[in-house]
Amino acid sequence: MLEDKKTPLTPVSTLGEFGLIKHLTEKFALEQPSSSLGVGDDAAIIHPGEKRVVVTTDILAENVHFNLGYVPLKHLGYKAVVSNLSDLAAMNAVPTQILVGLAASNRFPVEAFEELYAGIALACQHYKVDLIGGDTTSSQAGLVISISAIGLQDEEKIIKRSTAQPNDLLVVTGDLGGAYMGLQILEREHSVYLANPHMQPEMEGYDYILQRQLKPEARTDIRNTLEELGISPTSMIDISDGLASEILHLADQSKVGFHLYEEKIPLDNQTISTAEELNFNPVIAALNGGEDYELLFTICPNDYEKIKNHPDFTVIGHAVEAQQGNYMVARGSHELIKLTAQGWDAFLKRQ
Amino acid sequence: MLEDKKTPLTPVSTLGEFGLIKHLTEKFALEQPSSSLGVGDDAAIIHPGEKRVVVTTDILAENVHFNLGYVPLKHLGYKAVVSNLSDLAAMNAVPTQILVGLAASNRFPVEAFEELYAGIALACQHYKVDLIGGDTTSSQAGLVISISAIGLQDEEKIIKRSTAQPNDLLVVTGDLGGAYMGLQILEREHSVYLANPHMQPEMEGYDYILQRQLKPEARTDIRNTLEELGISPTSMIDISDGLASEILHLADQSKVGFHLYEEKIPLDNQTISTAEELNFNPVIAALNGGEDYELLFTICPNDYEKIKNHPDFTVIGHAVEAQQGNYMVARGSHELIKLTAQGWDAFLKRQ
């Protein structure tokens, strides 16, 4: 759990709840002009000016969303922030502030909270967001992390899920399925370790997919890239639960259907080779794996020329009328395969 | 746990995570003019106009903050919202929106979530706040509730903890210690029930303190009352952790001290009689009990005439220079008793 196993451990009761919050948050400075008042009062204050305030919240539970057997706490803190900022990126908002709630059992010493907050601090620095509030409590069970993130944007620049039109092109950033294949490697090596703690984990050659799983990034860069290209997406969502599930969300909320081309789905070579090694179809990892934190959006067909050769983007399909449904066109056979939501469903897959 | 024990129970897996969120939130309408977009997209959108956005978050864990053995889920949902709105009231902000995160083990069927959300819905109606976002997940342990609440206010009307001055009067709303004495009765009757499930709980004569514990209200009404009286507090905090702890917070952040008069602390007759019955000092319940959700604030000495006979308010002390410290002047003896933070500290008192 802790990176440095020799750190002397301090029980949380030596600081108390208020002392712990103060200890963890006092090094966080406010950098955003919209952060008027941060941690320490009954509530924080944001000064949004003329902008709209965009808010999201995620709750992550131990052994459902993460396993502390192979996820370092620092990475967990970073990733918990990233998953929220990804939601803001999917609205085309600029992330500005976060609030952090933690419930943790007594097996977590002060040093564990420090590592978690070191990861949160790193994400705050990298994405230039301010920690402005939080709450920390004991729990009788494992660790639960709740993060709320706040962003700002002009009303006309916010992009929703509900505004795609038939014939719009479906575009994805980066590549997919890597985070899922990284998880498979981590779980395999953890099983080996549990069976024989003297075995060294074999992580070499998996660096990209392990990073996709352990230290994903939110695509907050895409907002600027699209602006430079003169493209305004007609709808957008982030890929946290797998491509299939996200396409169905866009379809449902925009009242359209989508045709997705299997051969167009962007996959990294390491995702493909690891999938082959584990006798797994990498397209399934992309469709149902989740946690890639890439963005999925639609654009007007007229914008195709602006985007077609850009390395950040891949056109993977197009929107159709709702009654035409949601299908993947299979590679080679061109068979139509119905898209189903087998996304990361915490209640179904991991209970 | 469930009010109607005969309800047929539906496992969450029949709805799935997305289905559950949709099912729980689809009846919540948006009423606040500042709520531009609610549940269902990557994030919610708030339109604050010229106002400042005030944000707070609380995380509540089973068997730390609540015991489902004697707290109905509907009350729990209501109270979880109230505790956040109380934080906004303490900033003098108008509550407008909430986001709800839930982590719950598989022992909670859909009907349990429905009851919890029924309580949340009741609080939303009563306080005219909109549910605009949330996240629901399974957990391997008990129930963890994380609520973030958003409010709006003009910059010059926001009241912080850090702006009290020496000689300001210390004022409290309502009465204190009731929620703590209510908890003692609930715990006593729960122990009796556990020892003999055929015993009927004796709740008669404890209605006021039980309501203080099970269905507390946030003092969002005080903002208007103070405005009508022409009083602008110089600092404010809500009483969630006990009077002593909150006084020390005001003192710490305003860099002053406080002298509190024991004989002035407002106690309800039922709080006093129950404390006598349980051989407990009701002043200790007020100082250290917590969960009263009253407001504690300071006013200029010149405002005394405006407030002195108002039934909602009691002047309980005054601010002094920081080096004079924080003391309670004992009833009768006038002995000075040092105030210490023995507030509701989740890590110390309930682990």
Side-chain angles (χ1 to χ4, degrees):
Chain A
M1 187 167 81
L2 287 165
E3 278 191 357
D4 175 4
K5 312 257 183 208
K6 286 176 201 145
T7 312
L9 301 180
T10 315
V12 166
S13 56
T14 58
L15 291 176
E17 185 183 343
F18 301 130
L20 178 65
I21 294 175
K22 202 166 178 177
H23 174 69
L24 293 174
T25 58
E26 64 192 352
K27 283 176 207 143
F28 285 78
L30 298 184
E31 307 284 352
Q32 283 282 345
S34 59
S35 301
S36 298
L37 182 71
V39 176
D41 214 303
D42 294 281
I45 307 173
I46 298 166
H47 178 184
E50 299 287 299
K51 304 275 183 181
R52 296 296 175 273
V53 178
V54 183
V55 198
T56 184
T57 194
D58 265 347
I59 193 156
L60 305 175
E62 186 177 351
N63 296 331
V64 178
H65 298 93
F66 55 88
N67 181 331
L68 292 175
Y70 51 80
V71 176
L73 281 162
K74 193 172 171 182
H75 284 79
L76 179 62
Y78 192 90
K79 186 170 169 175
V81 175
V82 161
S83 76
N84 275 280
L85 301 189
S86 180
D87 282 322
L88 296 177
M91 303 294 283
N92 207 38
V94 182
T96 45
Q97 288 93 9
I98 59 167
L99 300 97
V100 176
L102 292 179
S105 69
N106 292 326
R107 80 175 210 269
F108 292 89
V110 171
E111 288 73 16
F113 286 96
E114 285 172 347
E115 287 212 9
L116 191 70
Y117 265 75
I120 291 170
L122 200 63
C124 284
Q125 282 161 27
H126 184 74
Y127 292 98
K128 297 184 173 54
V129 299
D130 292 342
L131 178 81
I132 58 163
D135 193 18
T136 304
T137 185
S138 65
S139 85
Q140 291 216 330
L143 179 64
V144 174
I145 306 174
S146 167
I147 295 192
S148 296
I150 295 162
L152 302 179
Q153 188 51 288
D154 299 326
E155 184 174 18
E156 65 276 12
K157 290 188 181 168
I158 291 175
I159 302 169
K160 301 177 190 172
R161 294 180 179 177
S162 54
T163 40
Q165 298 283 337
N167 299 319
D168 282 353
L169 299 177
L170 185 65
V171 187
V172 69
T173 62
D175 58 80
L176 302 178
Y180 184 79
M181 294 318 303
L183 181 63
Q184 302 315 305
I185 294 300
L186 284 173
E187 289 189 343
R188 181 182 76 178
E189 297 305 316
H190 188 56
S191 305
V192 169
Y193 171 81
L194 289 180
N196 180 357
H198 298 292
M199 289 283 283
Q200 286 296 312
E202 286 187 29
M203 300 294 197
E204 224 167 282
Y206 303 112
D207 51 323
Y208 177 70
I209 59 172
L210 289 174
Q211 186 172 335
R212 293 291 282 174
Q213 171 57 228
L214 289 174
K215 190 166 175 287
E217 302 292 351
R219 299 307 305 260
T220 54
D221 57 317
I222 294 299
R223 190 183 68 251
N224 283 335
T225 309
L226 288 172
E227 201 159 303
E228 284 162 15
L229 293 171
I231 292 172
S232 180
T234 55
S235 70
M236 190 152 62
I237 190 170
D238 77 316
I239 303 183
S240 49
D241 295 312
L243 180 61
S245 171
E246 313 305 353
I247 287 178
L248 293 174
H249 282 307
L250 281 188
D252 181 47
Q253 300 212 17
S254 288
K255 298 184 174 49
V256 295
F258 283 102
H259 284 183
L260 164 71
Y261 293 85
E262 182 183 358
E263 65 192 21
K264 301 290 189 191
I265 297 172
L267 303 167
D268 184 79
N269 284 336
Q270 210 170 80
T271 304
I272 297 171
S273 62
T274 308
E276 276 172 7
E277 182 191 339
L278 300 182
N279 203 12
F280 192 86
N281 182 348
V283 171
I284 302 291
L287 287 173
N288 301 335
E291 296 197 287
D292 287 317
Y293 299 113
E294 296 293 340
L295 295 176
L296 177 72
F297 58 92
T298 51
I299 60 171
C300 290
N302 295 343
D303 283 337
Y304 177 65
E305 290 299 319
K306 297 179 192 167
I307 215 168
K308 68 176 183 183
N309 292 319
H310 197 287
D312 275 345
F313 304 113
T314 312
V315 178
I316 56 172
H318 61 273
V320 295
E321 299 288 343
Q323 62 269 29
Q324 292 181 257
N326 295 285
Y327 290 95
M328 181 170 78
V329 181
R331 187 195 308 265
S333 71
H334 297 289
E335 190 192 343
L336 291 181
I337 300 165
K338 200 168 168 58
L339 287 176
T340 52
Q342 309 221 330
W344 174 306
D345 191 317
F347 283 105
L348 284 170
K349 289 186 69 178
R350 312 213 143 202
Q351 69 192 4
Chain B
M1 185 167 78
L2 287 164
E3 277 192 357
D4 175 3
K5 311 258 183 206
K6 286 174 200 147
T7 312
L9 301 182
T10 314
V12 167
S13 55
T14 60
L15 292 177
E17 186 184 342
F18 299 131
L20 178 64
I21 294 175
K22 203 167 175 175
H23 173 69
L24 293 172
T25 58
E26 64 193 352
K27 283 176 206 144
F28 284 78
L30 298 184
E31 308 284 354
Q32 283 283 345
S34 59
S35 301
S36 297
L37 182 73
V39 175
D41 215 302
D42 293 281
I45 307 173
I46 298 165
H47 179 181
E50 301 287 299
K51 304 275 182 180
R52 295 297 175 272
V53 178
V54 184
V55 198
T56 182
T57 195
D58 264 349
I59 193 156
L60 304 175
E62 185 176 352
N63 296 330
V64 178
H65 298 94
F66 55 87
N67 181 330
L68 292 175
Y70 50 80
V71 176
L73 280 161
K74 192 173 172 182
H75 284 79
L76 179 60
Y78 192 89
K79 185 170 169 175
V81 176
V82 161
S83 76
N84 275 279
L85 302 189
S86 180
D87 282 322
L88 295 178
M91 303 293 285
N92 206 38
V94 181
T96 46
Q97 290 93 9
I98 59 165
L99 300 97
V100 176
L102 292 179
S105 69
N106 293 325
R107 80 174 210 268
F108 292 89
V110 171
E111 288 72 17
F113 286 97
E114 285 173 349
E115 287 212 8
L116 191 69
Y117 266 75
I120 291 171
L122 199 65
C124 283
Q125 283 161 28
H126 183 74
Y127 291 98
K128 297 185 174 52
V129 299
D130 293 342
L131 178 80
I132 58 163
D135 192 17
T136 304
T137 186
S138 64
S139 85
Q140 290 214 331
L143 179 64
V144 174
I145 306 174
S146 165
I147 296 193
S148 296
I150 295 163
L152 301 179
Q153 188 51 286
D154 300 325
E155 184 175 17
E156 66 276 13
K157 289 187 182 169
I158 292 175
I159 301 168
K160 300 176 192 173
R161 295 179 179 177
S162 53
T163 38
Q165 298 282 337
N167 298 319
D168 283 353
L169 299 177
L170 185 65
V171 187
V172 70
T173 63
D175 58 79
L176 302 178
Y180 184 80
M181 293 319 302
L183 181 64
Q184 303 315 306
I185 293 300
L186 284 173
E187 289 189 342
R188 181 181 76 178
E189 296 306 316
H190 187 57
S191 305
V192 170
Y193 171 82
L194 289 179
N196 180 357
H198 298 291
M199 288 285 280
Q200 288 295 313
E202 287 187 31
M203 301 294 197
E204 226 168 282
Y206 301 113
D207 51 321
Y208 176 72
I209 58 171
L210 289 173
Q211 186 172 332
R212 294 290 283 174
Q213 171 58 227
L214 289 173
K215 191 167 174 287
E217 302 292 351
R219 299 309 303 262
T220 55
D221 57 315
I222 294 299
R223 189 183 68 252
N224 283 335
T225 309
L226 288 172
E227 201 159 301
E228 285 162 14
L229 293 173
I231 293 172
S232 180
T234 55
S235 69
M236 189 151 63
I237 190 170
D238 78 318
I239 302 182
S240 50
D241 295 311
L243 180 61
S245 171
E246 313 305 354
I247 288 177
L248 293 174
H249 282 308
L250 282 188
D252 181 45
Q253 299 211 19
S254 289
K255 298 183 174 50
V256 296
F258 283 101
H259 284 182
L260 163 72
Y261 293 85
E262 181 182 0
E263 65 192 21
K264 301 289 188 190
I265 296 172
L267 303 167
D268 184 80
N269 284 336
Q270 212 169 77
T271 303
I272 296 170
S273 63
T274 308
E276 275 172 7
E277 183 190 339
L278 301 182
N279 203 13
F280 193 86
N281 182 348
V283 172
I284 301 292
L287 287 174
N288 302 335
E291 296 197 287
D292 286 317
Y293 299 113
E294 297 293 342
L295 295 176
L296 177 72
F297 58 92
T298 52
I299 59 171
C300 290
N302 295 343
D303 284 337
Y304 176 67
E305 289 298 320
K306 300 178 189 169
I307 214 166
K308 68 175 184 185
N309 292 319
H310 198 288
D312 277 342
F313 304 112
T314 312
V315 177
I316 56 173
H318 61 273
V320 295
E321 299 288 344
Q323 62 270 27
Q324 292 181 256
N326 295 285
Y327 291 95
M328 181 169 79
V329 181
R331 187 196 307 266
S333 71
H334 298 286
E335 188 191 348
L336 291 181
I337 301 165
K338 198 168 171 59
L339 287 176
T340 53
Q342 310 222 330
W344 175 304
D345 191 318
F347 284 105
L348 283 170
K349 291 186 65 179
R350 309 215 142 199
Q351 66 192 9

